[in-house]
Amino acid sequence: MITGTRGRASARVASIAESATLAVDAKAKALKRAGRPVIIFGSGEPDFPTPQHIVQAAAAACHDPRFHRYSPSGGLPELREAIAAKTMRDAGHHVDAAQVVVTNGGKQAIYETFAALLNPGDEVIVPAPYWPTYPEAIALAGGVPVPVFADETTGYRVGVEQLERARTGNTAMLVFSSPANPTGAVYGRAETEAVGAWAAEHGLWVLSDEIYEHMVYGDAEFHSLPAVVPDIRDRCVVVNGVAKSYAMTGWRVGWAVAPHDIAAAMTTLQSHVTSNVCNIAQAAALAAVSGDLEAVSRMRAAFDRRRRTIVRMLGEIDGVRCPEPDGAFYVYASVKDLLGKEIRGRRVGTAAGLAGLLLDEAEVAVVPGEAFGTPGYLRLSYALSDEDLVAGVERIHAVLAEAKD
Ligand code: PMP
């Protein structure tokens, strides 16, 4: 008999759901290793290699004994300075280096933000569809995630009236993410101002996740919440990182920009959790954030091209409704019209069931909306090659074309 580790894990940890996006990815990659020609729309990472000048900076750091030792928990001083300068350059948000905490990816910055700010029972409003780490990190910190739903009719963007309906005496925080994962939604300037002003008026903290800041397309513009709403600056933590903008998901460098007292609290927490982030990775991140944005623009142009291709191709499939996203590198398509239909002898009841069927029948991996708090949808990442993208959507089309009542 196998006793799952789950059975012996603490209640706090046993209650965490596995990352559905990573689970899809793992299953698809295992099939690929077994020789199957699986096309993966699951992963949230650019398919490009990290730009050469960044890799070279890391290689040089390997040979410098200064980087062979422990370094300050909050990050290398020169990297914190560079992140403060970059925050002004890219977001128009003036901060100093003491407000920056360098973390093992944006994920750790999110975890530490909730850990530093939440008390047991504090409610955190999380617009849904949401990136799955938010509710889990909130719960781990003793907080209570409160989803507020938006669907394709509003471009997956929540409005202030909806947020206000969810606010209670226990509401402590709001998660704001633009451009958003999984929907690619980008809030306009007026919308960003309205959300920020509402949070400031009610004394709420905001975690503003700005990791997709450079991935915006067409007429859409990125607006950093604390840049456009100065009143929220004293209660706002910005999360960012090099993963998405510089094709550096595996290097694990992110950061939080927080008011001084909270940055200090997060640094103390981090000093006991992980000490410093790997110095070599920090040296690479320094080259990334202090360099120009040329590689970022090249990658953005490729993503934009793929975005338009995938939206057009998915739009040609009966039963799939896919609004054109303005940012990040995901499309979030409604498949509600396909639920209840029969495809290749299987009755499709849920988006998760449909994702399973697509993996089996089309050898295509997508992430079901259940992972993001909204059943009835599929998320497809378009951070894969143009050829794979076209071939993969053609396969999806061929299978879904067989749907019958
Ligand atoms: N925020 C969002 C919205 C994301 O999609 C991700 C990565 N999937 C992250 C933060 C964290 O990225 P990382 O930990 O790789 O820096």
Side-chain angles (χ1 to χ4, degrees):
M1 196 183 89
I2 299 167
T3 311
T5 47
R6 273 279 162 105
R8 297 197 290 163
S10 69
R12 194 169 74 102
V13 168
S15 69
I16 306 171
E18 183 190 12
S19 163
T21 49
L22 293 184
V24 168
D25 216 45
K27 186 169 176 196
K29 282 180 179 157
L31 282 169
K32 221 172 169 168
R33 271 197 305 278
R36 303 305 314 167
V38 179
I39 296 179
I40 303 179
F41 289 88
S43 57
E45 57 183 346
D47 56 316
F48 304 101
T50 302
Q52 262 309 307
H53 70 283
I54 298 174
V55 176
Q56 275 158 6
C62 282
H63 296 285
D64 182 347
R66 185 166 76 89
F67 292 112
H68 299 174
R69 307 278 174 255
Y70 290 130
S71 60
S73 297
L76 294 173
E78 59 271 40
L79 177 58
R80 294 169 84 193
E81 287 289 350
I83 289 169
K86 167 251 167 288
T87 303
M88 187 62 204
R89 178 193 68 182
D90 297 340
H93 179 202
H94 181 74
V95 297
D96 65 55
Q99 292 178 258
V100 177
V101 184
V102 180
T103 55
N104 287 290
K107 226 174 218 180
Q108 190 177 28
I110 289 167
Y111 179 86
E112 289 178 359
T113 301
F114 292 129
L117 288 172
L118 296 180
N119 287 305
D122 280 351
E123 293 175 7
V124 183
I125 297 178
V126 185
Y130 47 68
W131 181 50
T133 289
Y134 300 137
E136 300 298 350
I138 292 164
L140 273 172
V144 180
V146 177
V148 169
F149 293 93
D151 63 16
E152 60 276 24
T153 58
T154 61
Y156 302 109
R157 298 189 304 278
V158 297
V160 165
E161 305 72 37
Q162 274 179 291
L163 295 173
E164 179 58 17
R165 278 199 293 280
R167 191 173 63 85
T168 72
N170 293 327
T171 308
M173 248 183 122
L174 166 74
V175 173
F176 184 73
S177 174
S178 173
N181 175 7
T183 59
V186 180
Y187 286 70
R189 187 178 174 112
E191 292 168 323
T192 306
E193 281 171 354
V195 169
W198 169 82
E201 181 191 342
H202 298 292
L204 306 183
W205 280 88
V206 183
L207 184 158
S208 182
D209 186 338
E210 305 188 353
I211 203 154
Y212 293 102
E213 63 181 339
H214 292 299
M215 306 291 136
V216 283
Y217 313 107
D219 296 334
E221 281 177 18
F222 162 70
H223 298 286
S224 167
L225 187 86
V228 300
V229 186
D231 283 353
I232 200 71
R233 285 183 195 166
D234 189 45
R235 286 181 167 269
C236 183
V237 179
V238 173
V239 169
N240 206 329
V242 291
K244 315 289 176 173
S245 297
Y246 302 96
M248 292 178 70
T249 46
W251 296 78
R252 309 311 302 136
V253 183
W255 57 84
V257 176
H260 290 93
D261 55 339
I262 300 306
M266 289 170 71
T267 305
T268 303
L269 168 63
Q270 181 157 291
S271 74
H272 293 294
V273 174
T274 188
S275 302
N276 60 280
V277 172
C278 166
N279 292 330
I280 308 303
Q282 289 196 69
L286 177 61
V289 298
S290 50
D292 64 27
L293 294 170
E294 199 266 327
V296 178
S297 313
R298 246 183 311 114
M299 289 189 269
R300 180 176 45 233
F303 290 139
D304 189 16
R305 186 179 65 238
R306 297 168 187 173
R307 173 184 73 115
R308 284 181 272 117
T309 306
I310 197 168
V311 168
R312 176 177 51 73
M313 290 184 72
L314 287 173
E316 290 165 2
I317 305 176
D318 278 347
V320 176
R321 274 178 291 130
C322 180
E324 187 171 276
D326 290 321
F329 36 64
Y330 311 100
V331 288
Y332 204 62
S334 166
V335 290
K336 289 178 206 157
D337 295 346
L338 289 166
L339 302 184
K341 306 249 184 208
E342 191 188 297
I343 305 172
R344 300 209 175 163
R346 274 155 78 169
R347 187 67 64 189
V348 177
T350 61
L354 184 59
L357 182 131
L358 288 173
L359 191 54
D360 295 341
E361 298 291 328
E363 301 199 297
V364 159
V366 301
V367 187
E370 281 88 343
F372 312 104
T374 56
Y377 297 83
L378 298 178
R379 187 192 79 174
L380 286 82
S381 160
Y382 49 86
L384 73 176
S385 75
D386 296 64
E387 300 73 43
D388 278 359
L389 184 149
V390 169
V393 183
E394 279 171 356
R395 286 195 212 164
I396 294 173
H397 195 154
V399 170
L400 297 185
E402 295 180 30
K404 49 184 191 247
D405 290 328

PDB file of all heavy atoms in Angstrom, residues 234-263:
ATOM      1  N   ASP A 234       1.870  54.323  -0.683  1.00  0.00           N
ATOM      2  CA  ASP A 234       2.252  53.902   0.661  1.00  0.00           C
ATOM      3  C   ASP A 234       1.609  52.578   1.063  1.00  0.00           C
ATOM      4  O   ASP A 234       1.910  52.027   2.128  1.00  0.00           O
ATOM      5  CB  ASP A 234       1.878  55.001   1.669  1.00  0.00           C
ATOM      6  CG  ASP A 234       2.461  54.699   3.032  1.00  0.00           C
ATOM      7  OD1 ASP A 234       3.653  54.317   3.076  1.00  0.00           O
ATOM      8  OD2 ASP A 234       1.723  54.798   4.037  1.00  0.00           O
ATOM      9  N   ARG A 235       0.715  52.079   0.203  1.00  0.00           N
ATOM     10  CA  ARG A 235       0.053  50.804   0.506  1.00  0.00           C
ATOM     11  C   ARG A 235       0.095  49.876  -0.699  1.00  0.00           C
ATOM     12  O   ARG A 235      -0.835  49.088  -0.923  1.00  0.00           O
ATOM     13  CB  ARG A 235      -1.418  51.047   0.882  1.00  0.00           C
ATOM     14  CG  ARG A 235      -1.579  51.636   2.256  1.00  0.00           C
ATOM     15  CD  ARG A 235      -3.033  51.828   2.585  1.00  0.00           C
ATOM     16  NE  ARG A 235      -3.183  52.095   3.985  1.00  0.00           N
ATOM     17  CZ  ARG A 235      -3.377  51.169   4.919  1.00  0.00           C
ATOM     18  NH1 ARG A 235      -3.483  49.906   4.597  1.00  0.00           N
ATOM     19  NH2 ARG A 235      -3.494  51.498   6.171  1.00  0.00           N
ATOM     20  N   CYS A 236       1.153  49.984  -1.461  1.00  0.00           N
ATOM     21  CA  CYS A 236       1.230  49.181  -2.685  1.00  0.00           C
ATOM     22  C   CYS A 236       2.554  48.442  -2.747  1.00  0.00           C
ATOM     23  O   CYS A 236       3.608  49.025  -2.485  1.00  0.00           O
ATOM     24  CB  CYS A 236       1.088  50.097  -3.904  1.00  0.00           C
ATOM     25  SG  CYS A 236       1.085  49.196  -5.458  1.00  0.00           S
ATOM     26  N   VAL A 237       2.485  47.157  -3.095  1.00  0.00           N
ATOM     27  CA  VAL A 237       3.694  46.378  -3.358  1.00  0.00           C
ATOM     28  C   VAL A 237       3.655  45.965  -4.831  1.00  0.00           C
ATOM     29  O   VAL A 237       2.695  45.321  -5.268  1.00  0.00           O
ATOM     30  CB  VAL A 237       3.775  45.120  -2.468  1.00  0.00           C
ATOM     31  CG1 VAL A 237       5.044  44.322  -2.787  1.00  0.00           C
ATOM     32  CG2 VAL A 237       3.728  45.500  -0.988  1.00  0.00           C
ATOM     33  N   VAL A 238       4.673  46.363  -5.575  1.00  0.00           N
ATOM     34  CA  VAL A 238       4.769  45.965  -6.987  1.00  0.00           C
ATOM     35  C   VAL A 238       5.623  44.710  -7.069  1.00  0.00           C
ATOM     36  O   VAL A 238       6.689  44.646  -6.456  1.00  0.00           O
ATOM     37  CB  VAL A 238       5.406  47.084  -7.836  1.00  0.00           C
ATOM     38  CG1 VAL A 238       5.660  46.590  -9.260  1.00  0.00           C
ATOM     39  CG2 VAL A 238       4.522  48.324  -7.854  1.00  0.00           C
ATOM     40  N   VAL A 239       5.122  43.723  -7.815  1.00  0.00           N
ATOM     41  CA  VAL A 239       5.898  42.505  -8.054  1.00  0.00           C
ATOM     42  C   VAL A 239       6.307  42.490  -9.521  1.00  0.00           C
ATOM     43  O   VAL A 239       5.508  42.823 -10.409  1.00  0.00           O
ATOM     44  CB  VAL A 239       5.058  41.254  -7.721  1.00  0.00           C
ATOM     45  CG1 VAL A 239       5.745  39.986  -8.224  1.00  0.00           C
ATOM     46  CG2 VAL A 239       4.814  41.174  -6.225  1.00  0.00           C
ATOM     47  N   ASN A 240       7.562  42.131  -9.754  1.00  0.00           N
ATOM     48  CA  ASN A 240       8.058  42.095 -11.125  1.00  0.00           C
ATOM     49  C   ASN A 240       9.208  41.087 -11.186  1.00  0.00           C
ATOM     50  O   ASN A 240       9.541  40.460 -10.167  1.00  0.00           O
ATOM     51  CB  ASN A 240       8.503  43.506 -11.542  1.00  0.00           C
ATOM     52  CG  ASN A 240       8.437  43.720 -13.042  1.00  0.00           C
ATOM     53  OD1 ASN A 240       8.616  42.797 -13.828  1.00  0.00           O
ATOM     54  ND2 ASN A 240       8.185  44.962 -13.440  1.00  0.00           N
ATOM     55  N   GLY A 241       9.829  40.950 -12.351  1.00  0.00           N
ATOM     56  CA  GLY A 241      10.930  40.005 -12.467  1.00  0.00           C
ATOM     57  C   GLY A 241      11.449  39.952 -13.889  1.00  0.00           C
ATOM     58  O   GLY A 241      10.876  40.578 -14.784  1.00  0.00           O
ATOM     59  N   VAL A 242      12.526  39.195 -14.073  1.00  0.00           N
ATOM     60  CA  VAL A 242      13.136  39.120 -15.404  1.00  0.00           C
ATOM     61  C   VAL A 242      12.574  37.972 -16.242  1.00  0.00           C
ATOM     62  O   VAL A 242      12.867  37.866 -17.431  1.00  0.00           O
ATOM     63  CB  VAL A 242      14.674  38.950 -15.305  1.00  0.00           C
ATOM     64  CG1 VAL A 242      15.332  40.214 -14.765  1.00  0.00           C
ATOM     65  CG2 VAL A 242      15.044  37.734 -14.455  1.00  0.00           C
ATOM     66  N   ALA A 243      11.764  37.095 -15.635  1.00  0.00           N
ATOM     67  CA  ALA A 243      11.376  35.843 -16.292  1.00  0.00           C
ATOM     68  C   ALA A 243      10.748  36.052 -17.665  1.00  0.00           C
ATOM     69  O   ALA A 243      11.191  35.453 -18.657  1.00  0.00           O
ATOM     70  CB  ALA A 243      10.413  35.062 -15.391  1.00  0.00           C
ATOM     71  N   LYS A 244       9.735  36.875 -17.722  1.00  0.00           N
ATOM     72  CA  LYS A 244       8.946  36.962 -18.959  1.00  0.00           C
ATOM     73  C   LYS A 244       9.578  37.926 -19.954  1.00  0.00           C
ATOM     74  O   LYS A 244       9.631  37.654 -21.148  1.00  0.00           O
ATOM     75  CB  LYS A 244       7.517  37.423 -18.630  1.00  0.00           C
ATOM     76  CG  LYS A 244       6.879  36.739 -17.435  1.00  0.00           C
ATOM     77  CD  LYS A 244       6.518  35.293 -17.689  1.00  0.00           C
ATOM     78  CE  LYS A 244       5.985  34.657 -16.406  1.00  0.00           C
ATOM     79  NZ  LYS A 244       5.454  33.316 -16.579  1.00  0.00           N
ATOM     80  N   SER A 245      10.058  39.080 -19.480  1.00  0.00           N
ATOM     81  CA  SER A 245      10.568  40.105 -20.403  1.00  0.00           C
ATOM     82  C   SER A 245      11.869  39.686 -21.070  1.00  0.00           C
ATOM     83  O   SER A 245      12.149  40.086 -22.200  1.00  0.00           O
ATOM     84  CB  SER A 245      10.810  41.417 -19.656  1.00  0.00           C
ATOM     85  OG  SER A 245       9.606  41.916 -19.139  1.00  0.00           O
ATOM     86  N   TYR A 246      12.693  38.918 -20.360  1.00  0.00           N
ATOM     87  CA  TYR A 246      14.030  38.602 -20.889  1.00  0.00           C
ATOM     88  C   TYR A 246      14.206  37.097 -21.144  1.00  0.00           C
ATOM     89  O   TYR A 246      15.335  36.631 -21.235  1.00  0.00           O
ATOM     90  CB  TYR A 246      15.102  39.103 -19.912  1.00  0.00           C
ATOM     91  CG  TYR A 246      15.003  40.593 -19.660  1.00  0.00           C
ATOM     92  CD1 TYR A 246      14.313  41.075 -18.547  1.00  0.00           C
ATOM     93  CD2 TYR A 246      15.554  41.513 -20.551  1.00  0.00           C
ATOM     94  CE1 TYR A 246      14.185  42.435 -18.319  1.00  0.00           C
ATOM     95  CE2 TYR A 246      15.428  42.872 -20.336  1.00  0.00           C
ATOM     96  CZ  TYR A 246      14.749  43.334 -19.225  1.00  0.00           C
ATOM     97  OH  TYR A 246      14.617  44.683 -19.007  1.00  0.00           O
ATOM     98  N   ALA A 247      13.106  36.366 -21.221  1.00  0.00           N
ATOM     99  CA  ALA A 247      13.193  34.921 -21.460  1.00  0.00           C
ATOM    100  C   ALA A 247      14.123  34.268 -20.431  1.00  0.00           C
ATOM    101  O   ALA A 247      15.082  33.573 -20.774  1.00  0.00           O
ATOM    102  CB  ALA A 247      13.655  34.626 -22.893  1.00  0.00           C
ATOM    103  N   MET A 248      13.846  34.516 -19.146  1.00  0.00           N
ATOM    104  CA  MET A 248      14.734  34.045 -18.068  1.00  0.00           C
ATOM    105  C   MET A 248      13.962  33.283 -16.986  1.00  0.00           C
ATOM    106  O   MET A 248      14.294  33.370 -15.810  1.00  0.00           O
ATOM    107  CB  MET A 248      15.457  35.244 -17.432  1.00  0.00           C
ATOM    108  CG  MET A 248      16.466  35.902 -18.358  1.00  0.00           C
ATOM    109  SD  MET A 248      17.245  37.346 -17.595  1.00  0.00           S
ATOM    110  CE  MET A 248      18.274  36.593 -16.328  1.00  0.00           C
ATOM    111  N   THR A 249      12.968  32.493 -17.388  1.00  0.00           N
ATOM    112  CA  THR A 249      12.153  31.812 -16.370  1.00  0.00           C
ATOM    113  C   THR A 249      12.986  30.915 -15.457  1.00  0.00           C
ATOM    114  O   THR A 249      12.716  30.825 -14.266  1.00  0.00           O
ATOM    115  CB  THR A 249      11.031  30.988 -17.036  1.00  0.00           C
ATOM    116  OG1 THR A 249      11.600  30.243 -18.115  1.00  0.00           O
ATOM    117  CG2 THR A 249       9.929  31.885 -17.579  1.00  0.00           C
ATOM    118  N   GLY A 250      13.982  30.248 -16.027  1.00  0.00           N
ATOM    119  CA  GLY A 250      14.761  29.304 -15.227  1.00  0.00           C
ATOM    120  C   GLY A 250      15.795  29.943 -14.316  1.00  0.00           C
ATOM    121  O   GLY A 250      16.360  29.266 -13.451  1.00  0.00           O
ATOM    122  N   TRP A 251      16.066  31.225 -14.475  1.00  0.00           N
ATOM    123  CA  TRP A 251      17.116  31.864 -13.682  1.00  0.00           C
ATOM    124  C   TRP A 251      16.619  32.232 -12.292  1.00  0.00           C
ATOM    125  O   TRP A 251      17.427  32.447 -11.379  1.00  0.00           O
ATOM    126  CB  TRP A 251      17.605  33.139 -14.386  1.00  0.00           C
ATOM    127  CG  TRP A 251      18.267  32.907 -15.701  1.00  0.00           C
ATOM    128  CD1 TRP A 251      17.639  32.646 -16.884  1.00  0.00           C
ATOM    129  CD2 TRP A 251      19.662  32.901 -15.977  1.00  0.00           C
ATOM    130  NE1 TRP A 251      18.574  32.496 -17.879  1.00  0.00           N
ATOM    131  CE2 TRP A 251      19.820  32.651 -17.354  1.00  0.00           C
ATOM    132  CE3 TRP A 251      20.802  33.101 -15.188  1.00  0.00           C
ATOM    133  CZ2 TRP A 251      21.071  32.582 -17.955  1.00  0.00           C
ATOM    134  CZ3 TRP A 251      22.035  33.047 -15.794  1.00  0.00           C
ATOM    135  CH2 TRP A 251      22.173  32.772 -17.165  1.00  0.00           C
ATOM    136  N   ARG A 252      15.340  32.359 -12.142  1.00  0.00           N
ATOM    137  CA  ARG A 252      14.688  32.622 -10.857  1.00  0.00           C
ATOM    138  C   ARG A 252      15.143  33.925 -10.200  1.00  0.00           C
ATOM    139  O   ARG A 252      15.693  33.935  -9.093  1.00  0.00           O
ATOM    140  CB  ARG A 252      14.900  31.441  -9.869  1.00  0.00           C
ATOM    141  CG  ARG A 252      14.567  30.059 -10.390  1.00  0.00           C
ATOM    142  CD  ARG A 252      13.215  29.954 -11.057  1.00  0.00           C
ATOM    143  NE  ARG A 252      12.102  30.332 -10.209  1.00  0.00           N
ATOM    144  CZ  ARG A 252      11.088  31.110 -10.629  1.00  0.00           C
ATOM    145  NH1 ARG A 252      11.052  31.599 -11.860  1.00  0.00           N
ATOM    146  NH2 ARG A 252      10.120  31.400  -9.805  1.00  0.00           N
ATOM    147  N   VAL A 253      14.882  35.017 -10.876  1.00  0.00           N
ATOM    148  CA  VAL A 253      15.088  36.322 -10.245  1.00  0.00           C
ATOM    149  C   VAL A 253      13.849  37.185 -10.445  1.00  0.00           C
ATOM    150  O   VAL A 253      13.412  37.403 -11.585  1.00  0.00           O
ATOM    151  CB  VAL A 253      16.318  37.084 -10.798  1.00  0.00           C
ATOM    152  CG1 VAL A 253      16.497  38.409 -10.024  1.00  0.00           C
ATOM    153  CG2 VAL A 253      17.579  36.239 -10.670  1.00  0.00           C
ATOM    154  N   GLY A 254      13.271  37.598  -9.339  1.00  0.00           N
ATOM    155  CA  GLY A 254      12.169  38.547  -9.360  1.00  0.00           C
ATOM    156  C   GLY A 254      12.420  39.558  -8.264  1.00  0.00           C
ATOM    157  O   GLY A 254      13.497  39.574  -7.651  1.00  0.00           O
ATOM    158  N   TRP A 255      11.433  40.410  -8.021  1.00  0.00           N
ATOM    159  CA  TRP A 255      11.598  41.371  -6.934  1.00  0.00           C
ATOM    160  C   TRP A 255      10.255  41.959  -6.529  1.00  0.00           C
ATOM    161  O   TRP A 255       9.264  41.850  -7.257  1.00  0.00           O
ATOM    162  CB  TRP A 255      12.538  42.505  -7.333  1.00  0.00           C
ATOM    163  CG  TRP A 255      12.135  43.260  -8.567  1.00  0.00           C
ATOM    164  CD1 TRP A 255      11.254  44.301  -8.667  1.00  0.00           C
ATOM    165  CD2 TRP A 255      12.607  43.012  -9.906  1.00  0.00           C
ATOM    166  NE1 TRP A 255      11.155  44.725  -9.970  1.00  0.00           N
ATOM    167  CE2 TRP A 255      11.977  43.951 -10.758  1.00  0.00           C
ATOM    168  CE3 TRP A 255      13.504  42.091 -10.468  1.00  0.00           C
ATOM    169  CZ2 TRP A 255      12.200  43.993 -12.131  1.00  0.00           C
ATOM    170  CZ3 TRP A 255      13.725  42.139 -11.848  1.00  0.00           C
ATOM    171  CH2 TRP A 255      13.084  43.082 -12.649  1.00  0.00           C
ATOM    172  N   ALA A 256      10.280  42.533  -5.341  1.00  0.00           N
ATOM    173  CA  ALA A 256       9.150  43.335  -4.885  1.00  0.00           C
ATOM    174  C   ALA A 256       9.669  44.744  -4.680  1.00  0.00           C
ATOM    175  O   ALA A 256      10.819  44.955  -4.274  1.00  0.00           O
ATOM    176  CB  ALA A 256       8.608  42.777  -3.576  1.00  0.00           C
ATOM    177  N   VAL A 257       8.826  45.732  -4.995  1.00  0.00           N
ATOM    178  CA  VAL A 257       9.106  47.121  -4.649  1.00  0.00           C
ATOM    179  C   VAL A 257       8.015  47.517  -3.662  1.00  0.00           C
ATOM    180  O   VAL A 257       6.831  47.498  -3.995  1.00  0.00           O
ATOM    181  CB  VAL A 257       9.067  48.033  -5.890  1.00  0.00           C
ATOM    182  CG1 VAL A 257       9.255  49.484  -5.472  1.00  0.00           C
ATOM    183  CG2 VAL A 257      10.131  47.616  -6.900  1.00  0.00           C
ATOM    184  N   ALA A 258       8.415  47.817  -2.444  1.00  0.00           N
ATOM    185  CA  ALA A 258       7.438  47.991  -1.364  1.00  0.00           C
ATOM    186  C   ALA A 258       7.771  49.250  -0.561  1.00  0.00           C
ATOM    187  O   ALA A 258       8.911  49.745  -0.616  1.00  0.00           O
ATOM    188  CB  ALA A 258       7.469  46.768  -0.451  1.00  0.00           C
ATOM    189  N   PRO A 259       6.820  49.775   0.223  1.00  0.00           N
ATOM    190  CA  PRO A 259       7.176  50.833   1.166  1.00  0.00           C
ATOM    191  C   PRO A 259       8.314  50.344   2.072  1.00  0.00           C
ATOM    192  O   PRO A 259       8.445  49.132   2.315  1.00  0.00           O
ATOM    193  CB  PRO A 259       5.876  51.042   1.952  1.00  0.00           C
ATOM    194  CG  PRO A 259       4.798  50.565   1.028  1.00  0.00           C
ATOM    195  CD  PRO A 259       5.401  49.424   0.260  1.00  0.00           C
ATOM    196  N   HIS A 260       9.121  51.285   2.582  1.00  0.00           N
ATOM    197  CA  HIS A 260      10.353  50.891   3.283  1.00  0.00           C
ATOM    198  C   HIS A 260      10.136  49.873   4.408  1.00  0.00           C
ATOM    199  O   HIS A 260      10.879  48.912   4.538  1.00  0.00           O
ATOM    200  CB  HIS A 260      11.047  52.133   3.856  1.00  0.00           C
ATOM    201  CG  HIS A 260      11.639  52.988   2.790  1.00  0.00           C
ATOM    202  ND1 HIS A 260      10.971  54.050   2.213  1.00  0.00           N
ATOM    203  CD2 HIS A 260      12.836  52.911   2.150  1.00  0.00           C
ATOM    204  CE1 HIS A 260      11.727  54.603   1.287  1.00  0.00           C
ATOM    205  NE2 HIS A 260      12.869  53.941   1.230  1.00  0.00           N
ATOM    206  N   ASP A 261       9.102  50.085   5.238  1.00  0.00           N
ATOM    207  CA  ASP A 261       8.921  49.185   6.383  1.00  0.00           C
ATOM    208  C   ASP A 261       8.577  47.764   5.929  1.00  0.00           C
ATOM    209  O   ASP A 261       9.050  46.775   6.509  1.00  0.00           O
ATOM    210  CB  ASP A 261       7.848  49.730   7.349  1.00  0.00           C
ATOM    211  CG  ASP A 261       6.512  50.010   6.673  1.00  0.00           C
ATOM    212  OD1 ASP A 261       6.481  50.185   5.425  1.00  0.00           O
ATOM    213  OD2 ASP A 261       5.489  50.046   7.384  1.00  0.00           O
ATOM    214  N   ILE A 262       7.806  47.674   4.872  1.00  0.00           N
ATOM    215  CA  ILE A 262       7.408  46.338   4.391  1.00  0.00           C
ATOM    216  C   ILE A 262       8.574  45.678   3.654  1.00  0.00           C
ATOM    217  O   ILE A 262       8.793  44.468   3.778  1.00  0.00           O
ATOM    218  CB  ILE A 262       6.144  46.445   3.497  1.00  0.00           C
ATOM    219  CG1 ILE A 262       4.995  47.050   4.320  1.00  0.00           C
ATOM    220  CG2 ILE A 262       5.746  45.093   2.923  1.00  0.00           C
ATOM    221  CD1 ILE A 262       4.686  46.323   5.627  1.00  0.00           C
ATOM    222  N   ALA A 263       9.346  46.469   2.918  1.00  0.00           N
ATOM    223  CA  ALA A 263      10.547  45.900   2.268  1.00  0.00           C
ATOM    224  C   ALA A 263      11.486  45.345   3.341  1.00  0.00           C
ATOM    225  O   ALA A 263      12.062  44.256   3.180  1.00  0.00           O
ATOM    226  CB  ALA A 263      11.249  46.960   1.426  1.00  0.00           C
TER     227      ALA A 263
END
